[in-house]
Amino acid sequence: MTVIDGTSRSIPATSTQPQSQPQRPSPGVDACTAAPEAHPRPAGKDSYTISEVVAFTGLTAHTLRWYERIGLMPHVDRSHTGQRRFSNRDLDWLVFVGKLRLTGMPVADMVRYAELLRVGESTFEERQELLESTRRDVITRIAELHDTLAVLDHKIEYYAGARRAPERHSA
């Protein structure tokens, strides 16, 4: 697990290199969360090419460039030749963005959240409101999915019962 903006998230470990010891959560981070997993590379040696980030995250290079263009990832460093160089912090952010995508949060809201994050602590309340609104939407979707699951279970039971029932012959 990695902690960014007080939120824990996992990063797939796809490297065969030995992993460093987990880092301790920074002050103000929920200490009840699991210890963070090591990144593919230790801090200070965490310069990833776009193709490496594609392999780690499953995102496409096109998506990563688009995220940068729309302001969802404006802080990506560049090499002296202009190639993007991603850091462990960027990997953490991409995992968080992936979680936001799974919630169904609109891209415009994700970009707004990123903008607020860059402004700093004065935006805590607005960021919290954005996340709480998204949480309410997720809870509503979960309830809808539970209802849908109940309908599917009912139909599955119906068909399973129909197969067990004796055949009826007409005279």
Side-chain angles (χ1 to χ4, degrees):
M1 289 279 180
T2 302
V3 180
I4 286 282
D5 192 30
T7 305
S8 299
R9 52 204 144 288
S10 298
I11 295 204
T14 57
S15 173
T16 56
Q17 299 173 5
Q19 296 190 357
S20 61
Q21 291 296 318
Q23 301 169 357
R24 292 181 177 233
S26 56
V29 174
D30 183 355
C32 296
T33 59
E37 293 178 10
H39 289 99
R41 294 187 185 132
K45 297 186 185 220
D46 59 334
S47 179
Y48 305 96
T49 64
I50 198 165
S51 59
E52 289 174 314
V53 174
V54 164
F56 294 143
T57 65
L59 297 169
T60 66
H62 175 77
T63 298
L64 292 169
R65 289 184 197 105
W66 181 64
Y67 281 0
E68 188 176 7
R69 193 169 51 251
I70 65 172
L72 200 50
M73 288 198 66
H75 58 276
V76 177
D77 289 332
R78 301 280 181 145
S79 71
H80 68 283
T81 60
Q83 293 179 319
R84 289 170 181 83
R85 294 292 179 202
F86 295 84
S87 66
N88 288 336
R89 182 178 175 189
D90 296 324
L91 294 180
D92 294 344
W93 177 251
L94 288 170
V95 170
F96 181 62
V97 167
K99 298 297 183 193
L100 293 179
R101 286 179 58 218
L102 286 173
T103 69
M105 178 186 268
V107 173
D109 287 349
M110 288 187 252
V111 171
R112 178 70 183 139
Y113 184 88
E115 291 167 351
L116 294 169
L117 184 61
R118 285 188 292 277
V119 170
E121 291 183 14
S122 65
T123 65
F124 275 9
E125 188 175 327
E126 194 171 349
R127 281 186 266 164
Q128 181 180 353
E129 289 171 9
L130 258 173
L131 295 176
E132 286 175 351
S133 173
T134 300
R135 185 178 190 282
R136 285 189 297 273
D137 294 344
V138 168
I139 289 171
T140 299
R141 279 198 10 236
I142 289 171
E144 291 167 348
L145 288 172
H146 277 292
D147 291 344
T148 302
L149 186 59
V151 169
L152 289 174
D153 288 344
H154 174 75
K155 287 294 188 181
I156 290 167
E157 288 175 24
Y158 172 79
Y159 290 122
R163 281 196 318 266
R164 286 191 299 261
E167 291 186 27
R168 295 180 190 202
H169 299 286
S170 54

